Amino acid sequence: MENSQQPCNRMDWDKLAYNVIPTDYMYIMKSNEDGTFSNGALVPFGTIQIEPHSSVLNYGQGLFEGMKAYRRPDGEVQLFRPEENALRMQRGAERLLMVAPSVEQYTEAVKQVVAANKSWVPPYGKGALYIRPLLFGSGSVMGIAPAPECSFLIYTNPICNVYKGRTSPLNLLIDDRLPRAFPGGTGGVKNIGNYSPVFEVTKEAKAKGFSDVLFLDAMERKYVEEVSSCNAFIVKGNVITTSPTLGTILPGITRNSIMQLASDLGFQVEERKFSVDELLEADEVFCTGTAVGISEVGSVTYKKNRVEFKTGRDTVTQKLYDFITGIQTGVLEDQKGWVVKID
């Protein structure tokens, strides 16, 4: 495999955006006949071979995860709660009838690929190294069936701190025509097929000037679920509320971390269904996810009614942002054992 990307020593980190930037190495490991994984290895970044009969190409049998490696002020590099991503991949694999690496195999593979691409981790304050683990049915099948072999692959890509270059609060559109997920479906796992069905509605929203779409529940079309790629929270006084993960909402690692940190800061944290009407009465709204981090929402539009929310420095959202990013980047002490340093 040839490696033809721009060397990282020529990167202008001040101009880092949210673009495709291949790094030096990726990690590949395939399952054995007994359903276990072994003999994973780092290889130069490049294309992969896949059988036309593979289950992932024919039936969409695949999962992905999203993680980041952060540069500390002292120059060292660290991960944030990688074992939680490993466990979530295992839950998704069970749902899609795939075998998955153990937590130890997953975290060790991530550590190896980050160490190999350590020079691609942006300097402190300039961004992060995005990590994309994939698990997919690479074995061949004829007819609808789970693959006899699965492949685990990890690649990395440096990105800026600001999601997709956005420098202002999110402006969301509530579109009640198309739910993101249905009860009994795969909305609660990072199934690769969860995302392309919302491309059309999000493209339409962005063409109208919105940042993204906030989706409602599939049954009553009145309860807030999540944005296309991140979880949603509302703030009212001292109460922070987010929707429960009951199979249609992804159990985000950033989401879970924010709930714990908000409780530590003295906020009342609620995990329950809440309606559009309740959201429109909130003081603040924010979104969480690996890619978006914690992003404040400036406005939500529902049936042509635009409601604005408090943003800026003196907000609960900013307080939580400072808390979690401080831990992730090593500015604040990790008192929960969430950080894993890369040797």
Side-chain angles (χ1 to χ4, degrees):
M1 296 179 224
E2 295 185 358
N3 193 0
S4 60
Q5 70 272 11
Q6 166 176 297
C8 59
N9 59 9
R10 289 194 300 212
M11 285 288 295
D12 185 343
W13 297 112
D14 289 322
K15 295 182 179 179
L16 185 63
Y18 210 87
N19 301 319
V20 173
I21 304 175
T23 57
D24 295 324
Y25 295 97
M26 60 185 185
Y27 183 96
I28 298 179
M29 181 166 59
K30 295 182 181 292
S31 66
N32 304 309
E33 290 184 2
D34 63 359
T36 62
F37 280 84
S38 62
N39 301 318
L42 289 168
V43 296
F45 181 90
T47 58
I48 62 172
Q49 288 188 324
I50 190 164
E51 294 292 334
H53 285 81
S54 65
S55 183
V56 65
L57 289 184
N58 290 272
Y59 307 117
Q61 189 185 25
L63 300 163
F64 71 87
E65 278 296 324
M67 310 169 62
K68 287 178 180 176
Y70 303 88
R71 183 81 64 179
R72 297 163 50 95
D74 61 10
E76 294 303 307
V77 174
Q78 62 187 34
L79 306 170
F80 183 72
R81 306 189 75 181
E83 72 287 345
E84 292 298 319
N85 294 90
L87 290 168
R88 187 169 66 182
M89 176 169 278
Q90 288 184 344
R91 293 191 294 269
E94 182 178 358
R95 176 66 177 83
L96 299 185
L97 290 182
M98 290 192 291
V99 293
S102 68
V103 173
E104 293 74 20
Q105 288 175 317
Y106 180 104
T107 53
E108 180 59 29
V110 170
K111 288 163 69 175
Q112 284 188 38
V113 77
V114 171
N117 293 303
K118 197 172 182 179
S119 60
W120 288 95
V121 182
Y124 168 73
K126 303 294 185 181
L129 185 69
Y130 190 82
I131 308 163
R132 173 51 58 82
L134 296 160
L135 180 67
F136 55 93
S138 52
S140 297
V141 293
M142 190 65 193
I144 299 176
E149 175 198 80
C150 292
S151 293
F152 178 59
L153 184 151
I154 309 173
Y155 67 87
T156 62
N157 194 110
I159 58 173
C160 62
N161 282 324
V162 182
Y163 182 55
K164 294 187 177 179
R166 182 187 51 79
T167 57
S168 58
L170 294 169
N171 294 305
L172 302 179
L173 172 67
I174 295 178
D175 192 320
D176 56 8
R177 298 172 300 164
L178 176 70
R180 174 190 170 274
F182 293 82
T186 58
V189 299
K190 285 190 78 70
N191 175 25
I192 60 174
N194 287 353
Y195 297 86
S196 57
V198 302
F199 285 174
E200 182 179 17
V201 68
T202 54
K203 181 180 179 181
E204 291 175 356
K206 290 176 181 179
K208 297 175 182 176
F210 296 101
S211 309
D212 212 326
V213 174
L214 181 59
F215 293 94
L216 305 182
D217 73 291
M219 304 306 292
E220 299 183 62
R221 308 289 176 95
K222 73 173 187 178
Y223 293 107
V224 174
E225 294 221 321
E226 60 181 1
V227 184
S228 61
S229 62
C230 50
N231 299 119
F233 287 76
I234 62 172
V235 181
K236 186 70 173 179
N238 195 53
V239 181
I240 298 175
T241 306
T242 192
S243 302
T245 55
L246 300 176
T248 57
I249 295 174
L250 188 72
I253 286 103
T254 308
R255 170 187 178 277
N256 175 270
S257 304
I258 285 297
M259 292 171 68
Q260 294 188 51
L261 295 176
S263 181
D264 292 346
L265 289 173
F267 292 98
Q268 179 182 334
V269 179
E270 296 181 342
E271 189 178 13
R272 63 172 176 80
K273 294 167 65 174
F274 61 93
S275 68
V276 174
D277 290 341
E278 192 171 354
L279 175 140
L280 297 178
E281 294 294 326
D283 300 327
E284 298 175 38
V285 178
F286 65 88
C287 298
T288 65
T290 300
V292 304
I294 300 181
S295 295
E296 58 186 0
V297 175
S299 73
V300 170
T301 299
Y302 179 56
K303 296 187 183 299
K304 298 184 178 180
N305 177 33
R306 176 187 169 105
V307 176
E308 297 186 350
F309 304 97
K310 184 179 180 181
T311 61
R313 293 297 308 175
D314 186 24
T315 58
V316 172
T317 303
Q318 187 66 46
K319 184 178 294 186
L320 292 170
Y321 173 88
D322 291 342
F323 200 177
I324 193 169
T325 56
I327 296 171
Q328 290 170 332
T329 59
V331 174
L332 297 178
E333 181 184 358
D334 171 28
Q335 298 181 342
K336 295 182 177 293
W338 286 350
V339 164
V340 175
K341 295 182 180 179
I342 301 297
D343 296 328

